[in-house]
Amino acid sequence: MAHTTERTRSSRRIWDIPGGVHPPEHKAQSMQLPLAHIPLAPSLIVPLSQHIGAPAIALVKEGDRVLKGQKIAEADGPISAPVHAPTSGTVTRIGDYTMPHPSGLQAEAIEISSDFSDTWCELYPMQDYRERDRSEVLHHIRECGIAGLGGAGFPAAIKLNPKGNAPIDTLILNGTECEPYITADDTIMRVRPEEIVAGAEILAHLLHEPADVLIGIEDNKPEAIKEMREACEGTRFEVVVFPTKYPSGGEKQLIQILTGREVPSEHLPAEVGVICQNVGTAAAIYRAIQFGEPLVSRITTVVGEALDIQRNIEVPLGTPVGHILANHGIDREQMAKIVIGGPMMGFTVQDERVPVVKTTNCILVPARKELPAPVPAQPCIRCGICAEACPASLLPQQLYWYARAEDYEKLEAYSIKDCIECGACAYVCPSHIPLVQYYRAAKGTMREAEQEKLKSDRARERFEFRKARLEKAEQEKEAKRQARKKAAEEARKRKAAQPASDKAGTSGASSEADVVAAALARVKAKESSPEQQKARAERSVKSAQERVQKLEEKASAAEGTQRDQLQAQLKAAQLKLGEAQQKLTALDQPEKTSSAAAAVDAAIARARNKAAMSPLEKAQKSVDSLRQRIQKMEEKIPQEQDAELQAALRDNHRKFQEKLVVAEQELAQLQQQEPGEATTPPAGNDKAQQAIERARAAAQARAGMSDEEKLAAELSSLEQRVEKARQRLRKAQDEGNENVPAFQAALDKMENKLAEKRQQMGEQQ
Amino acid sequence: MSWFASVSDAMLVLGGMALVFGAILGFAAIRFKVEGDPIVDQIDSILPQTQCGQCGYPGCRPYAEAIANGDAINKCPPGGQATINQLANLLDVEAVPLDEEHGSEDIKKVAFIREDECIGCTKCIQACPVDAILGAAKQMHTVIADECTGCDLCVEPCPVDCIDMIPVETTPRSWVWEKPGAHSQLIATDKIGEIRGAA
Amino acid sequence: MALMHASSPHTAQPQTSANIMQLVLAAMVPGIVALVAYFGVGVLFNLALCGLTALASEALMLKLRGRPIGFYLRDYSALVTAALLAVALPPYCPWWIPVVGTATAIILAKQLYGGLGFNPFNPAMVGYVVLLISFPVEMTLWVAPATVEHGLPDIEEAFSLVFGNYQVDGFTMATPLEIVRHNNSIIMSQLYNEEPVLAKGSIAGAGWEMVNLAFLVGGLYLLYRKVFTWHAPVGMLAALFLLSTVFYDSGSSLSEGSPLLHLFSGATMLGAFFIITDPVSSATSTRGRLYFGIGVGILVFVIRVWGSYPDAVAFAVLLMNFAAPLIDNYTLPRTYGHAAPRRATEKED
Ligand code: SF4
Ligand code: SF4
Ligand code: SF4
Ligand code: SF4
């Protein structure tokens, strides 16, 4: 690469950068008037994210009184910066406001209504910074919320604490300001050169006194160069002047111009021994150390032919752009767009209420003819002029081609990530293709895809982890089952040793089984009380009859498909009625069960009624039958002569015992679901009992209600929620919220559910 | 028996060579084994890992296995056309449109539990394929939005229906520029005047 | 009125692609004037026929492709193609030659590939080569320059030459390049004395040298206006110069002609400044364009000397169009922050 050398007054070698353009400068426009202040805005909107990194976390709440300079939001994590109140007043609202951001989206901000007294809070300077530990000084700078004032807004303290081992040998203060129109840095260099130099001293101290401290300024700012040279007299700092060319002020480009070094792709300047800070940032750091002032205001260029007054102002952060325009005689007829930043890299905003933030170096309100709307793009003629202009030596036309085709692999190969979005290529393109927008869209999509990839990798991991966890749980269960099996085996052995042992020992000799058996016995006593069963059966017969009657009436009145439906329902109801009646009759003749014939009848009735049995009954039945069968088996096993058969029987026996354990547990649970009927547990403190109690308590919440009650409760909660959902939907519609369809869908779903539940309720009654 | 001697010599030489070369080949096969991802892994890495089961398989990996065994590549609605295209690319088959039978492409959503309504039944936890829901029995539950894949699986089991799928909001931080529209490719119906006006 | 939303940059230099095309057309004026002065009005017929055909076929194709006709016609690219072809064709050729050639250039070589910016080959040269292969006789009959013998056809004669069935034979004469190529018996200085075309001129044949000079002037103007960079023309001319010097053979009877003859005869200057600088079909980077030019220069000489066609610019350009993507692949610039240029075919490590 050809680095042309040029000799300047300072006799320091400077390098040239490839490419670059010379758009009309328009700098004189805003330099006719001195730096000024405007009246304080009645309310300031202070965004929580004015820097690169995580948004700060609000420390105040609505209604709090704050003083100027008071910290109102705290940095969240290392790459973040706190936010301070730009004036004194009251916090009126913390919520979403439109951001000064190309998206025009909203983000969280603190609105402070100003009390116009502009009272500072107590400030803590650190003038003895040379005696302090560096980390303390860095912490102080960080706490003052200082972020790069040049454009990107990178938290200053992080830059000053470079990781890695590369020693910093060059500190660069960037006073280039290569963008047309902007003169904010020019202004601060003219009016506060000493502050910048003092700031540079602090920076140099923090960076262990790098060999070179350079202040880079383009040669179109003679005034600023003079002031800075004067201020630098007596120091070892050097003002380096180089020819004007856009984009010399880009961090990487400036480093190349002043040192000839290139920052490796996707690395930081610190890795080539250079730290670069904006001149404004240096001044802000000085004020933070000298006076303890946090970053609450900045110098901003207000420029454009749509304004009567064009100048630089020092303005509190959070001042709405509209307020500033109103103070500069805006001609709304002429105003076609508001650009935050310069014409090459700035972005348009649609809302005049967006506030000035730490990175707002210019508010450009061009007249209609000044910066006309882009003309329709013509096809790329591959003229290569863009490649000539690109300061990063990319091939913009190829990038355009692949960005349009969304070929992200090719874009990666053509190093789209090294594009600094300077806009030089789009500026020179004779076909007026919005190249930068293509790159931004492609970069955004690539970034999104990267994040998606990360996320999906994490999801895969979590999914796999979960699978492993479930498997492990399954294994544990299996292990427990094995243990139980073993216990049963032992019990059986013991049993075999003393066959006369009582029945209570069947399910194992442990106390657990005893308790279960006892509980079972108790429940049996209660549950099978014939009166209760009969009463219930009668009730169900009655309700079934009513339902049948109702349905008959309805069916005769209805027509067509509805009638068919009703008829089907009717049939179902009749069946139910039949069952209920049978159950009732079965219950009516309990004394007969002793006789053989009655036993058969009862069995038939049982089979018929199986469907109508409560789960508790079912569980109990199965427990009973299991026990009986186990007992029978136990009797059989010792009698069996054939060894093989005996083994098979034993196996079976074991299986049944397992089943029994499960069934018993189920039963115990179910018993607790009939709270009215459950008996008080017997005295005794052993573990199993406690466990049972706990389980019961847990089930109580759910099972404490009868079905009807449960339904009713559900119904009322559903009704409430539907109401809520309706309100929310209405609100969303009023606000024009984009979630409206989602809310609508949710509401519809809920309403369906409600209708369903209501119907169920009707059926139950 | 000289013919036998010469034949046996030849056979010996050939056999020896066969052995030697076989050994070399075998060694090379082990030593220079191509360490490629098995195809299932490659497919799995393309699938979106939403783990929603809309494809008819219990998760992305089983679907990846199914694809490797010849199943259609257009059954994953969360991945949408982009995923189908990538799969088509990988497997060198035609990129077919998404099979609507399995659902349609939707905007990205995350689950949100209305915590005051949650009864703490833990059903949603059991349903969540990526353990993105936190909570214990009878405690209110909450979704770790960052980990939620938007699979929708927790919505159905919730007995009180307190889980909403909320579209992921774009914030200034997650927003990206759109590709330029009409400016770049004019068609016959475009009128320059209109474009100027609209811009 | 709502405030406008747009991506940066919000400003652009005023030059447009149409301006560039207009500049190219303007820069061709000296060459055309020289052509008229030395070869008569024939070139004007070519210009008119090519221009009209170009506009008509472009409009037709745009309509078929569903693109706004006015918008794309106003980029002047069709007219540039037409003009390049018109000056390359022999004057007084029958009317259907320019018509067929231009239609081929616009429809086949440009619009079927997707229109301006998408054509891999230079449309004018495609048209020229198609004509040369299909109608070799009509395409190789050049009238003798005005200062040599016969005199030029007047307007009426021109009309009947172009639209009637008048034969151009009476006016034609071999071009200097052909003369040198077919000569293998006499030494150069003698040839320059004997052949009237060469004798009447000073370095590269009467008329021809002036036409080339005129195109050189126009080309330098475009260079000055930064329409293209110096790389391609310099590459081509330098290569041609070097090769012809090597093979000049100090003017013996086997000489392939002096370097000046090669630089100022045939379509050399037209090619160097107007044809190989067509950005669409050439290499993309400046270094690539240098190589592209060198390649064209070498091929021009090779084909002129050892090929069977009298002039070679068209073939050389088309061949190098083929090679352009290859050149691109090996001439990627080294991007800021990268140790070496990256190939598109290489993946990131
Ligand atoms: S400047 Fe524009 S027209 Fe020229 S090559 Fe670049 S993108 Fe294409
Ligand atoms: S925007 Fe990117 S591609 Fe265009 S000139 Fe700047 S760095 Fe190069
Ligand atoms: S449909 Fe769901 S489970 Fe199936 S592959 Fe796609 S994301 Fe994975
Ligand atoms: S399923 Fe619903 S109620 Fe149950 S824990 Fe999850 S969110 Fe709460």
Side-chain angles (χ1 to χ4, degrees):
Chain A
M1 183 141 313
H3 293 302
T4 58
T5 57
E6 259 174 81
R7 298 271 148 190
T8 59
R9 275 205 310 175
S10 65
S11 82
R12 168 173 282 275
R13 181 178 174 192
I14 57 166
W15 281 258
D16 190 18
I17 52 167
V21 292
H22 296 95
E25 285 172 16
H26 291 287
K27 298 234 186 205
Q29 253 161 277
S30 52
M31 291 309 276
Q32 305 308 318
L33 296 169
L35 178 65
H37 290 83
I38 57 166
L40 203 55
S43 90
L44 301 178
I45 298 158
V46 192
L48 294 180
S49 179
Q50 308 187 21
H51 48 264
I52 283 185
I57 302 166
L59 291 173
V60 290
K61 45 186 200 313
E62 287 169 23
D64 282 3
R65 253 198 66 75
V66 292
L67 290 174
K68 181 173 182 177
Q70 180 184 334
K71 185 155 88 172
I72 53 174
E74 184 137 50
D76 180 18
I79 304 191
S80 183
V83 174
H84 301 80
T87 186
S88 56
T90 319
V91 175
T92 40
R93 185 170 163 252
I94 300 176
D96 284 348
Y97 292 86
T98 309
M99 287 294 108
H101 186 271
S103 66
L105 290 172
Q106 297 198 326
E108 214 179 3
I110 300 175
E111 183 174 349
I112 297 173
S113 95
S114 142
D115 64 5
F116 297 100
S117 72
D118 215 20
T119 328
W120 279 96
C121 67
E122 202 178 332
L123 300 175
Y124 302 96
M126 196 186 261
Q127 286 156 358
D128 56 346
Y129 69 92
R130 280 180 194 278
E131 278 83 63
R132 305 275 192 127
D133 197 50
R134 282 192 171 78
S135 63
E136 222 178 309
V137 184
L138 283 174
H139 182 74
H140 182 77
I141 292 175
R142 175 181 153 93
E143 279 305 293
C144 285
I146 294 176
L149 295 173
F154 200 80
I158 299 173
K159 256 193 181 179
L160 295 174
N161 192 15
K163 282 197 225 75
N165 302 327
I168 303 301
D169 61 11
T170 311
L171 167 66
I172 294 178
L173 290 196
N174 190 346
T176 319
E177 205 162 49
C178 56
E179 272 241 21
Y181 285 100
I182 311 178
T183 50
D185 289 347
D186 194 356
T187 304
I188 200 167
M189 287 190 288
R190 287 189 197 191
V191 300
R192 290 174 194 159
E194 348 58 58
E195 289 190 7
I196 297 171
V197 171
E201 250 150 34
I202 298 168
L203 293 173
H205 168 73
L206 286 174
L207 294 171
H208 304 271
E209 301 295 341
D212 286 325
V213 178
L214 311 176
I215 301 166
I217 309 176
E218 273 186 346
D219 62 6
N220 60 354
K221 303 177 194 58
E223 187 96 1
I225 295 167
K226 196 177 122 250
E227 293 291 341
M228 287 307 296
R229 284 227 160 100
E230 266 163 32
C232 281
E233 236 145 70
T235 67
R236 64 197 185 84
F237 304 160
E238 199 176 318
V239 176
V240 186
V241 180
F242 48 89
T244 303
K245 172 156 96 174
Y246 178 84
S248 304
E251 187 174 67
K252 292 176 168 184
Q253 278 62 41
L254 184 61
I255 290 172
Q256 193 176 13
I257 290 171
L258 296 185
T259 67
R261 296 176 210 169
E262 282 182 27
V263 182
S265 175
E266 290 176 67
H267 287 262
L268 294 172
E271 284 164 57
V272 290
V274 183
I275 294 283
C276 201
Q277 287 282 5
N278 177 270
V279 285
T281 317
I285 287 175
Y286 164 75
R287 296 194 77 81
I289 298 287
Q290 186 68 20
F291 308 113
E293 265 178 37
L295 184 56
V296 290
S297 68
R298 69 157 296 144
I299 293 181
T300 297
T301 309
V302 186
V303 68
E305 299 288 354
L307 296 167
D308 279 349
I309 310 169
Q310 305 180 44
R311 63 179 175 191
N312 280 280
I313 55 170
E314 177 152 32
V315 57
L317 303 179
T319 307
V321 165
H323 175 79
I324 297 174
L325 297 185
N327 276 287
H328 288 79
I330 178 74
D331 177 358
R332 273 170 218 285
E333 275 303 297
Q334 274 299 315
M335 176 174 77
K337 56 184 164 191
I338 301 174
V339 180
I340 303 291
M344 296 299 285
M345 288 186 79
F347 54 87
T348 53
V349 292
Q350 267 81 62
D351 190 343
E352 282 189 31
R353 283 166 301 182
V354 303
V356 166
V357 295
K358 292 175 185 173
T359 53
T360 312
N361 51 5
C362 179
I363 300 166
L364 170 59
V365 196
R368 280 180 193 287
K369 287 214 195 71
E370 205 178 356
L371 294 180
V375 297
Q378 281 173 310
C380 166
I381 54 170
R382 312 212 327 144
C383 62
I385 298 178
C386 49
E388 295 294 292
C390 179
S393 303
L394 293 162
L395 287 175
Q397 73 274 49
Q398 298 300 96
L399 294 178
Y400 158 64
W401 186 270
Y402 293 122
R404 225 178 71 165
E406 299 181 12
D407 185 342
Y408 299 115
E409 260 174 50
K410 276 277 171 22
L411 285 173
E412 180 84 56
Y414 278 99
S415 311
I416 193 174
K417 285 198 181 134
D418 293 303
C419 166
I420 57 169
E421 297 177 19
C422 68
C425 52
Y427 175 80
V428 295
C429 175
S431 288
H432 296 276
I433 302 170
L435 297 168
V436 178
Q437 195 180 343
Y438 277 104
Y439 308 153
R440 285 187 171 141
K443 277 181 171 179
T445 315
M446 287 165 81
R447 204 174 51 231
E448 262 181 353
E450 251 162 50
Q451 277 161 3
E452 283 289 297
K453 182 89 195 128
L454 279 183
K455 207 177 156 185
S456 84
D457 282 348
R458 220 165 46 215
R460 183 183 301 116
E461 248 166 55
R462 290 178 81 94
F463 179 66
E464 240 116 68
F465 175 78
R466 178 171 187 268
K467 237 170 44 190
R469 178 169 60 78
L470 290 182
E471 254 156 41
K472 206 167 135 217
E474 190 57 39
Q475 272 168 9
E476 265 161 26
K477 238 196 231 157
E478 178 65 31
K480 264 191 207 142
R481 203 169 316 154
Q482 295 287 350
R484 268 203 302 273
K485 209 196 243 173
K486 222 164 151 199
E489 191 111 328
E490 266 162 29
R492 193 192 49 76
K493 270 191 202 136
R494 221 173 303 145
K495 187 87 185 271
Q498 41 173 149
S501 133
D502 74 20
K503 276 180 202 170
T506 19
S507 60
S510 71
S511 57
E512 246 169 280
D514 280 344
V515 173
V516 173
L520 195 64
R522 275 194 313 274
V523 173
K524 215 195 277 179
K526 275 273 173 188
E527 178 51 31
S528 53
S529 133
E531 293 81 36
Q532 277 177 352
Q533 282 187 15
K534 196 172 156 191
R536 192 183 293 156
E538 273 170 356
R539 259 206 316 274
S540 63
V541 167
K542 204 166 149 229
S543 91
Q545 272 169 343
E546 274 168 16
R547 190 166 155 71
V548 168
Q549 214 171 341
K550 246 195 238 154
L551 281 169
E552 271 169 356
E553 280 165 25
K554 262 201 212 161
S556 59
E559 289 170 19
T561 48
Q562 208 187 356
R563 188 188 180 132
D564 292 344
Q565 266 175 15
L566 281 171
Q567 222 119 39
Q569 280 180 14
L570 181 58
K571 230 176 239 160
Q574 277 166 342
L575 267 178
K576 239 190 204 158
L577 177 59
E579 268 172 30
Q581 275 168 342
Q582 269 168 359
K583 196 169 170 188
L584 188 56
T585 37
L587 284 170
D588 271 344
Q589 342 170 305
E591 61 279 9
K592 273 192 203 159
T593 42
S594 53
S595 79
V600 175
D601 273 359
I604 294 172
R606 255 203 320 276
R608 275 208 192 116
N609 291 336
K610 205 154 193 177
M613 251 195 265
S614 82
L616 185 66
E617 284 167 331
K618 251 195 249 169
Q620 194 168 350
K621 283 247 164 66
S622 70
V623 168
D624 284 355
S625 93
L626 275 170
R627 265 169 206 241
Q628 275 166 15
R629 283 159 83 179
I630 288 172
Q631 200 180 343
K632 256 191 219 140
M633 258 183 242
E634 276 161 0
E635 282 160 17
K636 253 194 210 157
I637 292 172
Q639 290 164 13
E640 188 54 62
Q641 303 297 316
D642 188 332
E644 243 176 73
L645 251 179
Q646 201 175 13
L649 271 174
R650 276 214 183 109
D651 223 61
N652 231 338
H653 174 248
R654 212 179 308 131
K655 266 190 211 143
F656 268 99
Q657 266 179 335
E658 278 163 27
K659 261 195 206 160
L660 179 61
V661 173
V662 175
E664 275 170 353
Q665 277 173 351
E666 231 169 69
L667 182 60
Q669 260 175 26
L670 284 168
Q671 278 161 356
Q672 284 134 21
Q673 288 183 10
E674 309 280 48
E677 290 159 50
T679 46
T680 46
N685 271 344
D686 59 22
K687 259 201 209 150
Q689 210 163 344
Q690 282 172 357
I692 288 176
E693 226 162 337
R694 265 205 306 279
R696 185 181 292 160
Q700 198 108 21
R702 256 175 303 165
M705 304 181 219
S706 76
D707 275 359
E708 279 97 331
E709 278 169 342
K710 242 198 241 169
L711 248 183
E714 261 179 56
L715 201 61
S716 75
S717 112
L718 248 180
E719 269 162 355
Q720 275 173 13
R721 272 171 44 210
V722 168
E723 194 42 50
K724 246 197 229 167
R726 280 203 191 111
Q727 279 170 7
R728 197 172 43 193
L729 178 62
R730 234 173 284 132
K731 201 168 138 233
Q733 274 166 342
D734 289 348
E735 290 174 357
N737 192 316
E738 51 185 285
N739 290 344
V740 167
F743 286 145
Q744 181 72 54
L747 180 58
D748 288 348
K749 213 157 123 198
M750 265 194 258
E751 271 169 346
N752 281 346
K753 204 163 199 175
L754 185 59
E756 208 179 283
K757 280 270 148 67
R758 279 205 179 117
Q759 199 184 340
Q760 232 176 19
M761 189 83 169
E763 269 170 34
Q764 288 235 345
Q765 281 153 358
Chain B
M1 292 299 248
S2 68
W3 64 270
F4 179 77
S6 59
V7 167
S8 71
D9 273 2
M11 276 171 73
L12 267 179
V13 170
L14 284 178
M17 274 166 69
L19 273 179
V20 170
F21 287 131
I24 291 175
L25 278 179
F27 173 73
I30 295 162
R31 176 72 179 69
F32 304 110
K33 198 159 123 195
V34 181
E35 292 286 350
D37 273 351
I39 190 75
V40 174
D41 280 350
Q42 288 180 37
I43 298 174
D44 194 36
S45 75
I46 291 176
L47 293 176
Q49 306 300 325
T50 306
Q51 315 289 8
C52 63
Q54 272 168 277
C55 51
Y57 295 94
C60 299
R61 182 138 193 120
Y63 181 42
E65 277 155 16
I67 292 178
N69 291 326
D71 199 352
I73 59 169
N74 61 347
K75 293 186 174 178
C76 173
Q81 199 59 43
T83 298
I84 295 174
N85 292 348
Q86 273 178 288
L87 286 173
N89 217 346
L90 172 71
L91 303 172
D92 216 0
V93 294
E94 200 192 334
V96 277
L98 182 68
D99 186 353
E100 294 285 334
E101 199 182 297
H102 293 271
S104 48
E105 228 173 308
D106 202 357
I107 45 168
K108 264 193 79 61
K109 291 181 177 166
V110 287
F112 173 77
I113 296 178
R114 290 192 301 277
E115 286 167 7
D116 47 339
E117 288 168 38
C118 167
I119 55 169
C121 70
T122 76
K123 288 222 166 71
C124 51
I125 294 196
Q126 291 158 31
C128 178
V130 290
D131 286 341
I133 302 179
L134 277 184
K138 295 211 287 161
Q139 308 281 311
M140 71 176 188
H141 283 48
T142 188
V143 174
I144 317 170
D146 270 352
E147 305 292 356
C148 174
T149 62
C151 68
D152 226 13
L153 291 179
C154 53
V155 175
E156 193 47 42
C158 178
V160 293
D161 223 359
C162 69
I163 307 184
D164 288 327
M165 295 307 290
I166 296 183
V168 181
E169 244 183 83
T170 351
T171 62
R173 293 158 72 82
S174 67
W175 175 86
V176 298
W177 276 97
E178 268 177 24
K179 255 193 352 174
H183 273 311
S184 62
Q185 270 288 298
L186 290 182
I187 54 167
T189 45
D190 290 334
K191 298 215 179 56
I192 293 167
E194 278 171 24
I195 291 163
R196 283 228 173 92
Chain C
M1 157 115 187
L3 291 168
M4 206 180 77
H5 182 54
S7 169
S8 67
H10 306 285
T11 173
Q13 47 78 32
Q15 183 99 299
T16 64
S17 296
N19 289 154
I20 291 185
M21 299 294 172
Q22 287 163 343
L23 269 179
V24 172
L25 286 176
M28 285 173 75
V29 168
I32 292 168
V33 169
L35 274 171
V36 172
Y38 288 95
F39 296 93
V41 290
V43 67
L44 298 180
F45 284 92
N46 285 350
L47 276 171
L49 285 167
C50 287
L52 287 175
T53 316
L55 290 178
S57 14
E58 179 104 336
L60 174 76
M61 290 307 285
L62 286 170
K63 177 138 188 67
L64 290 178
R65 290 178 55 218
R67 298 291 142 96
I69 296 170
F71 178 75
Y72 283 105
L73 279 189
R74 257 174 278 151
D75 66 21
Y76 286 88
S77 62
L79 283 180
V80 169
T81 301
L84 289 174
L85 187 59
V87 296
L89 293 176
Y92 311 105
C93 59
W95 63 270
W96 44 267
I97 291 267
V99 170
V100 170
T102 314
T104 312
I106 297 289
I107 296 174
L108 212 67
K110 182 176 171 195
Q111 289 292 344
L112 283 189
Y113 280 106
L116 178 61
F118 294 83
N119 46 304
F121 304 107
N122 188 320
M125 291 304 103
V126 171
Y128 185 85
V129 164
V130 166
L131 290 175
L132 188 59
I133 293 173
S134 319
F135 314 107
V137 180
E138 286 85 350
M139 288 295 289
T140 45
L141 292 176
W142 272 84
V143 294
T147 45
V148 186
E149 313 185 33
H150 318 288
L152 289 168
D154 57 27
I155 293 275
E156 249 168 78
E157 282 170 320
F159 250 101
S160 24
L161 282 172
V162 175
F163 296 103
N165 43 9
Y166 220 67
Q167 291 298 309
V168 79
D169 300 30
F171 302 96
T172 55
M173 164 177 265
T175 63
L177 282 174
E178 284 174 299
I179 295 168
V180 175
R181 196 153 69 97
H182 292 132
N183 165 60
N184 49 13
S185 51
I186 39 182
I187 60 164
M188 272 298 131
S189 47
Q190 209 180 335
L191 196 68
Y192 266 69
N193 285 332
E194 283 179 12
E195 285 292 333
V197 181
L198 292 170
K200 289 270 161 83
S202 45
I203 44 172
W208 292 99
E209 51 194 31
M210 295 316 286
V211 169
N212 270 287
L213 212 57
F215 279 122
L216 173 63
V217 169
L220 290 177
Y221 171 68
L222 290 182
L223 202 56
Y224 164 73
R225 292 296 304 265
K226 296 208 170 88
V227 169
F228 46 75
T229 56
W230 56 267
H231 301 79
V234 167
M236 170 176 163
L237 297 179
L240 194 57
F241 180 83
L242 277 179
L243 276 177
S244 47
T245 314
V246 169
F247 288 93
Y248 181 46
D249 204 11
S250 55
S252 75
S253 62
L254 291 177
S255 168
E256 306 297 356
S258 73
L260 284 179
L261 173 80
H262 279 283
L263 288 185
F264 286 95
S265 198
T268 308
M269 288 299 166
L270 176 70
F273 288 96
F274 291 87
I275 291 172
I276 69 166
T277 52
D278 163 34
V280 179
S281 53
S282 104
T284 20
S285 66
T286 47
R287 204 150 54 92
R289 287 185 177 167
L290 185 64
Y291 297 148
F292 184 85
I294 293 174
V296 172
I298 295 172
L299 284 175
V300 164
F301 187 77
V302 168
I303 300 175
R304 271 184 187 175
V305 173
W306 294 289
S308 53
Y309 288 95
D311 201 356
V313 172
F315 286 107
V317 168
L318 288 187
L319 284 174
M320 286 312 288
N321 286 165
F322 270 113
L326 188 74
I327 296 177
D328 278 347
N329 197 30
Y330 286 95
T331 53
L332 287 180
R334 188 188 61 85
T335 300
Y336 181 103
H338 289 267
R342 265 222 208 134
R343 296 270 141 65
T345 44
E346 281 167 11
K347 291 243 172 173
E348 209 182 357
D349 36 57

